[in-house]
Amino acid sequence: MSETAVVIGSGPEVRSGGCLCGKVRFTVTGPVDDPHICACKDCAKRSGGPFQWWVGFPTPGLEWTGAEPTWFDTHPGKTARGFCPDCGSHIAARDCGGDTITGILATALDHHDTDPALVPTNLNRLAEAAPWLAQAG
Ligand SMILES: [Zn+2]
Ligand SMILES: [Zn+2]
């Protein structure tokens, strides 16, 4: 896990996010951990796209300010994925067993398109899922 996130200003980093319809809302406090893209078959199947853009935040700093997502046990007893039960937006991932970092879909964050801390540092299995992508840009 990366410890290289830069704290902006003197206070803790706080980011907000939510789903497409607004039912699920949350804030995360603390530095970004391991922003990456994952193109594993699970991520592709659940998202409906070739990959998902993940970023970790300290679990104690995660607060559900709207409804909490519905959790689906991707691997029962190991990991679960959270999504909005109304609009289906993918929001989060958590490991069963008290993980200190919770995975958030960067696209669920309100300012993911302008936040330099979220730029992926690892493109996990991207070529496997979308071999055409490198040529597409
Ligand atoms: Zn929703
Ligand atoms: Zn994955």
Side-chain angles (χ1 to χ4, degrees):
M1 294 296 173
S2 169
E3 298 292 335
T4 57
V6 176
V7 176
I8 300 166
S10 57
E13 294 182 58
V14 181
R15 291 173 172 85
S16 60
C19 66
L20 184 62
C21 77
K23 177 174 184 160
V24 176
R25 291 293 300 168
F26 64 88
T27 58
V28 282
T29 301
V32 171
D33 183 271
D34 188 26
H36 69 279
I37 280 173
C38 186
C40 78
K41 287 187 166 43
D42 285 352
C43 284
K45 198 67 162 177
R46 284 180 297 98
S47 69
F51 56 82
Q52 289 194 301
W53 178 13
W54 291 101
V55 58
F57 291 98
T59 299
L62 170 62
E63 183 182 354
W64 301 110
T65 55
E68 187 170 336
T70 295
W71 294 96
F72 172 73
D73 288 332
T74 322
H75 300 285
K78 291 165 76 176
T79 61
R81 297 288 186 268
F83 61 95
C84 174
D86 284 4
C87 72
S89 299
H90 294 268
I91 304 294
R94 67 181 180 194
D95 290 336
C96 307
D99 200 357
T100 57
I101 296 291
T102 294
I104 296 289
L105 270 310
T107 44
L109 293 165
D110 291 336
H111 304 293
H112 67 270
D113 50 343
T114 56
D115 189 339
L118 305 179
V119 174
T121 54
N122 179 17
L123 307 179
N124 183 32
R125 300 163 73 172
L126 187 57
E128 191 179 308
W132 42 263
L133 194 61
Q135 291 94 48

